[in-house]
Structures are given as structure tokens and as C-alpha cells.
Amino acid sequence: MQRRQYLLALAHLSACAALPAWAKPASDSGLFPVDSRVPGGVARLSLGPSSAQPKVTTAEGTPVLVVGDMIEWTALVGIPLSAKLGVHTVTVRNDDGTQSLDYSVSDKQYAEQRLKVAPKTVDLAPQDLARHERERAHQQTIMALFSAPAPTLTAMRMQPPCPGRRSSSFGLRRIFNGQSRNPHSGMDIAAPTGTSVVAPLPGKVVDIGDYFFNGTTVWLNHGGGLLTMYCHLSGVQCSLGDALQPGQTFCQVGASGRVTGPHLHWGVMLNRTMVDPALFLA
């Protein structure tokens, strides 16, 4: 056993220099999203050493992104905005078998905005509601994607996809005419129509569509259940299946869909839940 451990350590030392940045030990925290164990946040859970990459799933059975190497693996768990406060559990399968790992979710108060608008702005016509339901069913299939991380993925900290002022933050709850709506599931960046939007990480184009609420929209799959979404676009310069590199322009800011002015709605999804994009900013 001691000889086996010695050989594994030697193999790690010789290979470490060649490892991509995302596979470095978890102590290099500047590569991963900020650990924020609140609704809408990300929990970074240390899994310890293992000769093979552990498999991690949420209590609902959703696969979780795992990064690292044989010396230290880390699970990155997206926490839903609807998550209850208190202890949550993931299941870990590794060399030692199957075990449970707990983490606690603390409270966070997001901003609220109360608005009075024309009733037709809030209440959808039957045909619009039917369209939205069809589109939501399709997008659920995109959100469920889980694949191996892109080979060229070297870090999960991102540059903003376009320049501009943050006009609305993640988690903002709008109340229209006294009726509460779902919290804001992304970050809005105000920018003129036609402003270039670039890929913040290597990824594959997995959906391009024209949706009732989101307008012209592109989804990128970065692997391991990490996806990003870009909405209200004025133009798209990519095709389904395209492999994008960080900094590559693939669409433009616009005002398509249900909006009052040009901006980019940028969403980040981890294990099928939308999380705060600000946690991923470099």
C-alpha cells in the first residue's frame, strides 16, 4: 500500500505542471466561483483525495460539477433561489464508496422593486401564454444538459460578456401592481444595440431561439452542468454546434422580447439552477 501511494505521489508531481488550471488543487481559489452558500449562490465543497474523479449528485439526483485532481477534488454546487435555509446534502461516490456530505445554506436578502404598470403588461393573452409554455418545455431540455467540461476550459472565473453598466442584479424581485413575480434570474448589462457580446469561457452553442420573454437567445454549454444564457439579442453570429473560445464575439446586444430598452440579460446555470453571475466574475 505504501509503495502504491508513493508511486501515485510521483505520478502527480510529474504531471502537475501539465495539468490545466481548472484541475489544480482547490486551494487555488481564484480559478473557481466565489463560495457563497446562500439561495442563488455556489457551494464549493472539498471532497479530498481520490485516484478517480468522484461522482456527486444533489438530493434530487442532479449531477454536480466536480473539478480538481487526485490530490484534491472540489464539488461546485449551484444553490436554487428557492432553497430552504439550513442543512443540505449531496451524495458522493468515490474510491471509498458512497457517502453523504452536508453543507448549510444561510439567508440573503435580495432587493425588491415595486412598480405600477398597465395590466396588459402583466397579464398575458392566452396565445402568448400558450407560446411561453411551449418555449419553456423546450428550454428545460437545454437546462438539463450535462457533459464533460470543454477540453480547453482552464478556469471558471469570467470576464463580463460585454461592456456596460449593471442595470439589474441577480435576485431582484419585482412586484407589479401588487403581484409578486419570480426573482431576476440573471444579470442585466445596459449597452447600446449592436454592442458585441463575447464568450466568457470556452463552450459549445447548444441553442439559438426567438422566445416570447427572452427574445433572441443563445445558450452556451461549458460542460459539467455549467451553462450560460444570453437574451434580448439584436443579432447572432454563431450556429448550433459551434465551439467558441473565450473573447470570441458570437452575438450583439439588443432589445428583442419583453424589454423596455436595449441590454444584455446574462444568466449562469449550474446543476440545472440559475446562480448569481457576479460570483463568477474575475
Side-chain angles (χ1 to χ4, degrees), residues 11-263:
H12 169 71
L13 289 173
S14 62
C16 191
L19 285 172
W22 68 269
K24 298 296 184 183
S27 58
D28 190 0
S29 59
L31 300 174
F32 301 149
V34 174
D35 189 331
S36 179
R37 302 180 186 189
V38 300
V42 176
R44 285 173 37 192
L45 307 179
S46 174
L47 306 178
S50 177
S51 60
Q53 185 183 53
K55 305 294 184 183
V56 179
T57 53
T58 66
E60 296 74 29
T62 304
V64 169
L65 176 60
V66 175
V67 294
D69 64 9
M70 71 176 85
I71 302 301
E72 173 68 26
W73 297 100
T74 300
L76 301 174
V77 185
I79 305 171
L81 271 168
S82 60
K84 294 182 179 179
L85 307 185
V87 177
H88 292 250
T89 303
V90 295
T91 300
V92 182
R93 296 174 177 82
N94 57 17
D95 292 345
D96 298 324
T98 301
Q99 54 190 321
S100 296
L101 182 61
D102 294 339
Y103 64 96
S104 293
V105 175
S106 302
D107 193 18
K108 178 173 181 177
Q109 295 297 317
Y110 290 99
E112 284 189 357
Q113 186 179 34
R114 295 179 178 270
L115 301 169
K116 284 193 174 183
V117 297
K120 66 179 182 180
T121 306
V122 179
D123 302 320
L124 296 184
Q127 63 270 24
D128 292 334
L129 181 60
R131 175 186 171 185
H132 169 59
E133 293 295 337
R134 292 192 303 271
E135 293 172 349
R136 184 168 62 178
H138 166 71
Q139 293 205 62
Q140 289 294 330
T141 66
I142 304 301
M143 296 176 186
L145 291 173
F146 188 92
S147 58
T152 53
L153 183 62
T154 56
M156 274 163 280
R157 288 296 181 96
M158 310 179 191
Q159 297 296 325
C162 73
R165 173 182 57 87
R166 188 187 305 183
S167 55
S168 181
S169 295
F170 178 88
L172 172 69
R173 184 179 292 277
R174 289 193 172 102
I175 301 173
F176 294 101
N177 302 343
Q179 300 179 35
S180 181
R181 292 301 191 234
N182 290 331
H184 194 225
S185 61
M187 176 188 294
D188 285 352
I189 303 174
T193 295
T195 301
S196 294
V197 178
V198 302
L201 293 176
K204 181 180 179 181
V205 179
V206 290
D207 188 60
I208 302 173
D210 180 18
Y211 300 108
F212 179 76
F213 281 110
N214 294 342
T216 302
T217 298
V218 175
W219 282 86
L220 302 183
N221 178 19
H222 308 288
L226 176 63
L227 297 97
T228 53
M229 176 178 65
Y230 309 82
C231 304
H232 310 306
L233 306 174
S234 62
V236 173
Q237 286 72 48
C238 62
S239 302
L240 283 176
D242 283 356
L244 304 181
Q245 296 305 313
Q248 182 176 344
T249 297
F250 66 100
C251 56
Q252 282 83 37
V253 172
S256 56
R258 295 267 285 200
V259 294
T260 57
H263 70 277

